[in-house]
Each structure stands twice: as C-alpha cells, then as structure tokens.
Amino acid sequence: MSLPMLPGYGFERYVGEDRYKRILVTEAKHGRRETLLHGPKTTPNYSSYPSALGSAVPSWVAFDKHVLSFDAYEEAEMDDKRIEDYRIRRYKIYFYLEDDTIQVNEPEIKNSGLPQGTSIRRHRIPLPPPNAEEFYTIHDFNINIDVVFYGRTFKIYDCNTFTKNFLKKVGVRLNPPGKCPDDPYTKLRKEILDYVRPLRPYDSFNTLKEFLEYDGKVLRFFCMWDDTASMFGDFRQLILHYFLADDTIEIKELLPHNSGRDPMSFFLQRGKLPKYGPPGVHQPGDVTDRIVLNVYNGYNVSRVHGYMLDKFKDSKLVQDFYKDTDLTIGASINVWGRKVLLCDCDEFTKTYYRTKYGIQNFPSIPCKPPTPPKRKKEFPPYTGFGSEEDSLRSCIGLVPIVRPDLEAFKKSMENDSYGNESNTLRFFAKMIKHQCEDADRLFVISYFLGNNTLSVFEPIERNSGYTGGLFLKRLRVKRPGQEIFKSELSEYIQPEELYIGARLNVNGYLFILLNADEYTLKYMEENSDRFPHSNLECALQMLKDEKSKAREIKQVFRAVDCNLTKMVDYNTFRNILMDITIDRLSEQQFITIVRRYGVPEKPCPNGTILLAMAHEQFRKIFYEDFDKLISYCEYEDRKHTKKLPSNDIRKLCKAARLPLTSELLQSLVSNFEDSEGQIDYKSFFSALNWRRNPVPELIPVSPLKERCEDVWLGMPSPIPFKCINYFKFLEDVYGLDDVE
C-alpha cells in the first residue's frame, strides 16, 4: 500500500534545488532541442552560427525564417526515349538554418511531360555512405560542388546574395559560380516550334488572362427604351449587365406592378451584342474566329503539319461588337434594332471607368418614365344619411370597411386630458339676438382639442325663465355658409378661430366670446404661434408702430397718475390703449397685455375666515385632542407666563399632525401672536376647538357666478387685474429714454 499524497508523507528528491519545476527548452546541439529541469545552471551548448540576437538565444529563435537558397541541376537519364538520352533538370535547394532541414523543388516548365514541383520534401538528409550516420550541415554546401541526396547527384552552380553573405560570415570560402548547361530536348523542341511558326500565321485568342482577371466583375447600367412610337407602347426601364470576363451583354427589364406584361427572365440573353444589327442570315462558316485551310504534306507521323490557318483571312466576316469603351452615360446603343439610352450606372462601374480610363464626370439622366397625369377622383355628393365620412367610404368600395384614422388617434392621445392638462378651452359667451329677453343669456362654450369637438352649456339660474343645462351636445360644428349636399368634406370650426371678442356662429346661433378661464388663457399664450391674438409680441408691435406719439402717451399716463405710483386702474389703461390703436386692438390682445403687466393683489383673509377654514378641516376628521395640546403647553411653560413663542406652537402643531396646511397654520399663528412673538396658547387652542367655540361655516362661492357676475363696468370682459404697471409697459414698448 503506497503512502497518501499528504504533507509529511512525501520525500524531497531534489534537495537544495528550486521547488518550482519549470521546463525550459535549450540547445544541446546545433539544430536539436533538449528539455532541462530548472536546477543548477549549466553551461549551454551554443550553435556554431554567428550570434544574431545574443549568445543565449537558441538557433531556432535566432535563425527563424532564415533560409539558404542554392541553384542546382541534375542530368536525369531518360529510358525508352528515342529522341533524347538525358535531360537537364533544374532545381532549387533550400537549407533551413533553424533545424538543418533541406527541401528540393523543381520549377514547373510548361509542356515538359515530367512530374515537377517538390522533389524532396523538407527533412534532415543523411550524408552518403560511409558517413550515413551523420546529416548534412551548412559546412557541406558550396558553389560548384556536387551533393548526393539518396543516390541522386545535384550539381550546385550558383546561389543568391543572402546565401553568399551568410557563408562568408560562417567562414566558408566560396568557389566561383558555374553555369547550367542547356537541355538538349528543350533546345530541340524550340527549333521545331520556330520551324512550324511561319506555317501557322494566326493571332492568339488566349482569353484565359482576361477571364482570370475579370471573372465575376460586371458593369451595370440603368437604361430606358422609349417605345411610345409603337401602338400601346410606353417607356421601358432596363438594366444592362456587361461581363468583363468575355465581353458579353445581357439585359433585364424592370416590370412595375400591374403592368400587363408577361414576366420574362431576360429582355436579351447573354451574348455578344453587334453594333449594327440585325445583320441578317449568315452562311455556314461566315462567323468564325479562325479559318482552317487543309494542307497535305504527304505521310507524316505528327499531325502538326496536316493543316494551317488562313493568313490573309479573306473569307472571314468582320463584325463589330460593343465593348466597354462604347458604353457611356448618355449614349444610345442598338439592341437588335431598339434604341436604348444609358442613363446611369452603379458605383463599381464608376470606379472601373475612373481607374482604367480616367473618366471623372458621370452625369446621370432620369431613367424613370414621366409620371402620367393623375386623374382626380370625383365622388357623388353627400346623401344626407349618416356622417359625411361614412357616405364617402361607401363610394370608395362596394363593402364599406372602417379604417382607423391614425392622425386623429395620435391627436386624441396627445391632447387627452391628464392631470392638470385638461386640453379643453372654455369660454364664457353671450348670445346675440334681437329679442330683448335673450340679451342677457350667458353660456359656457367648451372646445375639446382631442377631437375638435364643441359643446355649449347654459348655467342654471333661478327665476330666469330658462331651464338651462346642456344647450348643444359635444360634436363637431361646421363653419357657416357651406353647402350640405356636396362631394367634398365639410370644414369645421378650428381652435384658432376662438378668442375673446370673437363672434362664433354655432349652427345658426351667434355668440360673442366674453372671457376665458385661466387654463385657456395660459394655453393660448404658450402656443402663441397657433393663436396670434395671444401673441404678446404682435400686440406690442401694434403699439410700437405709434412710436411718434410716445411723448404724448407718456404725458397722458403721468397726468392720470397724480401720486406717481407708476400704476393705473384697469379702465383707464384700457381707454388709453384703445384710443392709441383706434380700436384696432382686439380684446384678446388687450387681455394678454394686461396679464403681462398687471399687478396681482395679495389677499389677506381675516381671522374669522381663517378659523372657519381650520374648523372645516378639523370637522372632517373629528379632531378633538385640544386639551392634550394645552396640557403639553402648560408643561413646557416653566415660568407660568401662559405664553409660548410662536415657533414652539408651530412645531407642536406639526408634531401633533394637525390637518392644516403650512400656509394656513402660518396665517393662524401670525394672527394670534403679539408684538414680542408670544402666543397665549390657551386662547389659541380654545379658538381652534370647533366643538366649544364654533364659528359660522364658509359659504362656497360658485366659480361660474364669480366669473360671470363680476363688475362688468360696460366692458365686454371682466377685470383680470385692478391695477396695471404702466411704467414697465412704457419701458418695454417705447424704451427707457422716452419714459423718463
């Protein structure tokens, strides 16, 4: 049983050596590798080659990719050959310095009839007997010597420059270079070819180079054929492909949808396109690349001299075909009698002509046919049944299909009410009628931006003689003066047509818009590009046009402001602006100016109203722990002054979580504190006790009544601000110099 591999059960075999057994690869002999354990340093065996990167670098690193090249030949005996006894075969001998391996290659010679290429693969070659146990090294090579590889004698007659320099550095004395003898068979074959060449006077038709260079490369042109001269003809869009490999052309046709033509694979099959076609019917042998003449030289073993080609080419038919030089943008080519215009080409074609012929300008021509005049659809007039959209849909198709209006859906989603954004414009209006009983009727007109619908509501007032309520349900209202039964869709009232002072015709009822709520005025001012009457710059520009009267206007405002408060009341400001603009300023523009320069009032409710508001909050949650608050204040009042600072009372109320807002609590505390900032806590909390000390309840004020029954003073709209800062107004309109 062997001992387990645990600490204390093993033995150190290498005492005094490094504990980490790292394996290094070094050179034992030149060209060989040896693995050594990392232990005591030993003297390494260096290569006999000159040092390249340092003395410690092994040869397989120092001489990586360093190869010696020798030129050699061999006299190879040829058996069973009656023409030649031997051949001179040339070789390249490669000696790899990194591992002393040798490779022998024979360059390929066309039509030699011998296997060529790698003659001896790369490996270490042993020396010939009697030294078969040793291998060839660099010292065994030189110029003008014979080397024997496996019984084959190779005569080295030369080497390249790198090999010569390297052998000189190693210390090898180079012999003078020799010369390779001529191969008798190659010499004989050359003489035969020179003798036969005059008997074969034909041009070379070798297209292999062109095929290898341009295979897969195609020029593409976008063309158009004008066939409008023929019956039922039109413009035909084509794509021409020119194959550079063999100078052939094919043409495809782009057929639009529902063109009425049969889909064909090709408009023109691939082939050479003659310039002057159609050429007619040719006789057999007219269209040929080579014309062969029969020649009889008697009996001969070789068939080379049995025929020859026509030197003068008398019977050959000359025919021109389209080349790449004939294809340019704007040129017209003849496609078997059809005139095709080249309009444009792709980027590869432009690069080809730019590189080969230096053409830089490629002006394109519109290749799409002109658009035919679009006939306007005419629909029958509206029938009066259903909506106009439903009637139009029944005219488009036999079976009406309800298609969603994406624009209306997007508009509805963007302008849908959310939070404080109601996206509903509300105006207070008055009906305009000749009857005296309808003169004082007030209405609320709501315009919904989500779908451009409009509704009219009449406030209910007692003893008015009118029932009130919904006057017009929510729907789109057409503009007046349109025909009912017509083919076009009706036009409806848009939000840009609504502003204070405008007259609105709603299905025959005429309204004048008197005022709008705060959201409507703010929305129109934020979107002043859609609502020009709420554009402050346009309203001020109308006043800036009267700059010649700036001094008189300034004197008028100063005469009105006797106390130099820089403020005037609403009515005076309106009368002055209307006189300046000669009533060209609309009510909406005037309201926009007043909202910009108005001075807001700071309401200060009295103590009774504050207590009533606090009692209402306490009554909602039935809060009655006022005695505990007084007891806590007595505990904090160590001096028995029956008063505490206002800050302590405020902190106590917040700690007790009284249902009061910060503003209301601050107003109550300020109302009960004395000059020293102290509060009688018993009287304060006793006043807040809604059970023991009730106050009259607040009477809710109707917002509609507050808006509509304000002080009108004969004006078409209520007063948004009672005072206006005319000094800032004059400074913005006429400048500071004119104001002072």
Side-chain angles (χ1 to χ4, degrees):
M1 181 177 180
S2 60
L3 295 177
M5 297 298 293
L6 296 175
Y9 288 91
F11 299 96
E12 291 289 342
R13 298 182 180 181
Y14 307 100
V15 180
E17 296 184 0
D18 192 359
R19 294 175 60 88
Y20 304 97
K21 302 299 185 291
R22 290 176 294 182
I23 298 177
L24 298 180
V25 179
T26 61
E27 287 289 334
K29 285 186 180 181
H30 127 113
R32 300 182 183 178
R33 301 180 184 179
E34 187 180 24
T35 58
L36 296 177
L37 294 175
H38 194 312
K41 268 193 173 181
T42 59
T43 303
N45 297 325
Y46 298 105
S47 173
S48 60
Y49 304 142
S51 61
L53 301 177
S55 59
V57 179
S59 63
W60 57 274
V61 176
F63 300 107
D64 184 25
K65 298 182 181 180
H66 289 188
V67 183
L68 304 183
S69 177
F70 297 93
D71 298 329
Y73 67 92
E74 177 190 10
E75 294 182 359
E77 297 181 357
M78 305 301 295
D79 299 334
D80 300 333
K81 292 291 183 180
R82 63 176 183 175
I83 299 178
E84 73 277 5
D85 298 332
Y86 68 95
R87 286 189 182 182
I88 301 297
R89 305 181 66 175
R90 300 189 180 189
Y91 295 92
K92 283 282 188 179
I93 300 177
Y94 299 104
F95 185 88
Y96 294 87
L97 297 174
E98 55 178 314
D99 53 0
D100 290 356
T101 56
I102 300 173
Q103 182 177 353
V104 180
N105 290 348
E106 182 180 6
E108 295 185 1
I109 300 177
K110 187 177 181 181
N111 297 329
S112 65
L114 300 174
Q116 297 172 344
T118 302
S119 180
I120 300 177
R121 62 179 178 84
R122 177 180 173 181
H123 65 287
R124 300 186 68 192
I125 300 177
L127 293 173
N131 300 322
E133 296 180 356
E134 299 181 3
F135 297 93
Y136 275 97
T137 62
I138 189 59
H139 300 283
D140 300 326
F141 288 87
N142 204 333
I143 303 176
N144 270 338
I145 63 172
D146 297 343
V147 291
V148 180
F149 298 154
Y150 301 110
R152 298 172 59 184
T153 303
F154 297 90
K155 298 182 179 181
I156 301 176
Y157 64 90
D158 203 354
C159 62
N160 57 8
T161 306
F162 173 77
T163 305
K164 293 179 181 179
N165 296 334
F166 189 85
L167 292 176
K168 289 179 182 179
K169 291 181 181 180
V170 172
V172 177
R173 186 174 182 179
L174 295 177
N175 300 327
K179 186 177 180 182
C180 180
D182 297 333
D183 183 16
Y185 176 76
T186 305
K187 186 176 180 181
L188 177 62
R189 183 177 178 83
K190 184 177 179 182
E191 292 177 355
I192 295 175
L193 292 177
D194 293 341
Y195 171 75
V196 176
R197 184 172 299 172
L199 300 178
R200 302 176 63 86
Y202 59 88
D203 299 332
S204 176
F205 286 91
N206 185 14
T207 59
L208 180 60
K209 179 181 178 182
E210 182 180 2
F211 174 79
L212 295 177
E213 183 177 359
Y214 294 109
D215 184 29
K217 297 181 180 180
V218 183
L219 305 181
R220 182 170 62 172
F221 292 88
F222 303 98
C223 318
M224 182 178 63
W225 172 36
D226 186 4
D227 191 29
T228 55
S230 61
M231 183 180 297
F232 307 112
D234 56 356
F235 291 90
R236 311 277 287 273
Q237 288 183 297
L238 308 174
I239 295 180
L240 184 145
H241 291 158
Y242 183 87
F243 297 87
L244 296 173
D246 53 359
D247 298 333
T248 55
I249 293 176
E250 74 174 11
I251 300 178
K252 294 184 178 182
E253 182 178 4
L254 297 177
L255 294 177
H257 294 288
N258 301 327
S259 63
R261 301 184 183 276
D262 295 333
M264 303 296 294
S265 301
F266 293 97
F267 183 80
L268 176 67
Q269 290 287 349
R270 179 176 176 180
K272 289 190 175 182
L273 180 62
K275 292 184 179 180
Y276 310 101
V281 181
H282 299 284
Q283 297 297 327
D286 288 348
V287 183
T288 57
D289 295 334
R290 303 176 183 179
I291 300 176
V292 182
L293 301 178
N294 293 329
V295 178
Y296 179 74
N297 277 348
Y299 176 76
N300 195 344
V301 177
S302 177
R303 300 178 58 186
V304 176
H305 308 289
Y307 64 92
M308 65 177 297
L309 299 180
D310 185 9
K311 178 180 180 181
F312 301 100
K313 304 178 183 179
D314 294 334
S315 60
K316 183 179 179 180
L317 180 64
V318 178
Q319 190 174 10
D320 294 336
F321 297 95
Y322 278 104
K323 301 292 184 181
D324 55 349
T325 55
D326 302 323
L327 305 178
T328 57
I329 297 178
S332 297
I333 62 175
N334 180 17
V335 181
W336 298 100
R338 297 169 178 83
K339 187 177 181 180
V340 176
L341 176 65
L342 304 183
C343 301
D344 201 356
C345 59
D346 60 356
E347 193 61 32
F348 172 78
T349 307
K350 294 179 181 179
T351 305
Y352 173 79
Y353 281 98
R354 191 182 296 113
T355 305
K356 187 173 182 179
Y357 299 105
I359 301 175
Q360 300 295 334
N361 190 16
F362 299 93
S364 61
I365 302 174
C367 60
K368 290 187 178 181
T371 305
K374 189 175 182 181
R375 185 178 179 182
K376 185 178 180 181
K377 293 184 178 180
E378 296 182 0
F379 298 101
Y382 173 53
T383 59
F385 297 96
S387 63
E388 295 181 355
E389 289 78 6
D390 294 340
S391 178
L392 180 61
R393 180 60 60 185
S394 64
C395 298
I396 295 176
L398 294 177
V399 180
I401 300 175
V402 180
R403 296 185 179 180
D405 191 351
L406 299 181
E407 295 183 0
F409 177 75
K410 181 180 179 181
K411 184 177 182 180
S412 175
M413 295 301 295
E414 291 177 353
N415 297 325
D416 189 19
S417 60
Y418 178 78
N420 296 328
E421 300 293 333
S422 63
N423 287 316
T424 303
L425 307 182
R426 292 183 175 86
F427 296 87
F428 298 94
K430 182 195 297 185
M431 183 181 292
I432 302 176
K433 271 197 173 185
H434 298 290
Q435 292 85 353
C436 298
E437 61 272 10
D438 295 334
D440 296 332
R441 295 180 65 180
L442 298 178
F443 297 87
V444 178
I445 299 178
S446 301
Y447 191 93
F448 302 90
L449 299 175
N451 53 3
N452 293 346
T453 55
L454 184 143
S455 67
V456 181
F457 181 84
E458 183 178 7
I460 300 175
E461 295 185 7
R462 294 181 179 180
N463 301 325
S464 63
Y466 299 98
T467 58
L470 189 63
F471 184 81
L472 177 67
K473 68 176 182 180
R474 180 176 175 180
L475 50 79
R476 290 190 299 172
V477 179
K478 297 180 181 180
R479 292 176 180 173
Q482 301 185 70
E483 296 182 8
I484 299 178
F485 303 102
K486 61 182 185 301
S487 301
E488 298 80 10
L489 296 177
S490 300
E491 297 179 358
Y492 298 91
I493 295 177
Q494 300 298 320
E496 292 79 8
E497 304 176 21
L498 305 181
Y499 58 91
I500 299 177
R503 293 176 180 267
L504 188 64
N505 190 336
V506 180
N507 296 338
Y509 293 92
L510 190 61
F511 297 91
I512 180 172
L513 304 184
L514 304 177
N515 193 16
D517 60 358
E518 179 65 23
Y519 176 81
T520 303
L521 295 175
K522 185 177 179 182
Y523 180 85
M524 297 171 72
E525 291 173 0
E526 291 177 353
N527 300 273
S528 58
D529 54 339
R530 295 176 54 191
F531 302 93
H533 291 273
S534 296
N535 193 335
L536 181 63
E537 296 297 332
C538 295
L540 295 180
Q541 185 62 36
M542 190 179 300
L543 296 169
K544 290 180 182 179
D545 296 340
E546 306 293 338
K547 194 172 184 179
S548 59
K549 303 178 183 179
R551 186 171 298 277
E552 291 81 358
I553 296 171
K554 178 194 65 174
Q555 293 176 0
V556 170
F557 277 105
R558 286 186 177 180
V560 174
D561 186 16
C562 301
N563 298 328
L564 300 178
T565 59
K566 299 182 180 180
M567 294 185 298
V568 295
D569 61 289
Y570 175 86
N571 296 329
T572 304
F573 187 75
R574 183 183 184 281
N575 293 333
I576 295 174
L577 292 189
M578 290 301 177
D579 293 340
I580 294 173
T581 59
I582 316 175
D583 293 336
R584 290 185 293 107
L585 195 68
S586 66
E587 291 297 330
Q588 181 77 32
Q589 293 175 332
F590 176 72
I591 293 295
T592 304
I593 297 175
V594 171
R595 287 171 55 82
R596 173 65 177 83
Y597 298 101
V599 179
E601 298 181 4
K602 296 182 179 179
C604 184
N606 52 22
T608 305
I609 297 177
L610 293 176
L611 289 176
M613 296 170 61
H615 285 186
E616 184 179 0
Q617 300 296 329
F618 291 137
R619 193 180 294 108
K620 289 181 179 179
I621 63 173
F622 296 98
Y623 186 84
E624 298 179 356
D625 295 337
F626 299 101
D627 295 337
K628 293 183 180 180
L629 297 176
I630 295 174
S631 301
Y632 182 79
C633 292
E634 290 177 351
Y635 176 79
E636 293 293 334
D637 186 15
R638 307 297 175 86
K639 298 180 180 180
H640 302 285
T641 58
K642 297 184 180 181
K643 292 184 179 181
L644 288 176
S646 58
N647 292 333
D648 295 346
I649 297 297
R650 190 183 301 107
K651 293 179 181 179
L652 175 61
C653 293
K654 290 185 176 181
R657 295 184 178 181
L658 296 182
L660 302 176
T661 61
S662 299
E663 293 79 5
L664 181 58
L665 180 61
Q666 179 65 29
S667 300
L668 289 171
V669 171
S670 301
N671 197 17
F672 279 88
E673 68 180 357
D674 55 7
S675 60
E676 297 179 358
Q678 301 289 327
I679 295 178
D680 188 353
Y681 51 84
K682 286 188 177 181
S683 61
F684 177 74
F685 288 110
S686 297
L688 294 181
N689 195 335
W690 57 280
R691 288 284 190 185
R692 300 177 183 176
N693 301 315
V695 295
E697 297 183 3
L698 288 176
I699 300 176
V701 180
S702 175
L704 185 60
K705 185 176 180 181
E706 181 182 356
R707 292 288 184 181
C708 296
E709 295 185 1
D710 204 346
V711 181
W712 287 81
L713 299 178
M715 301 301 172
S717 61
I719 301 174
F721 293 98
K722 293 184 178 180
C723 297
I724 291 90
N725 189 349
Y726 75 90
F727 188 83
K728 187 171 180 21
F729 165 75
L730 294 176
E731 180 181 355
D732 294 343
V733 176
Y734 300 110
L736 189 61
D737 296 338
D738 295 334
V739 176
E740 292 179 352

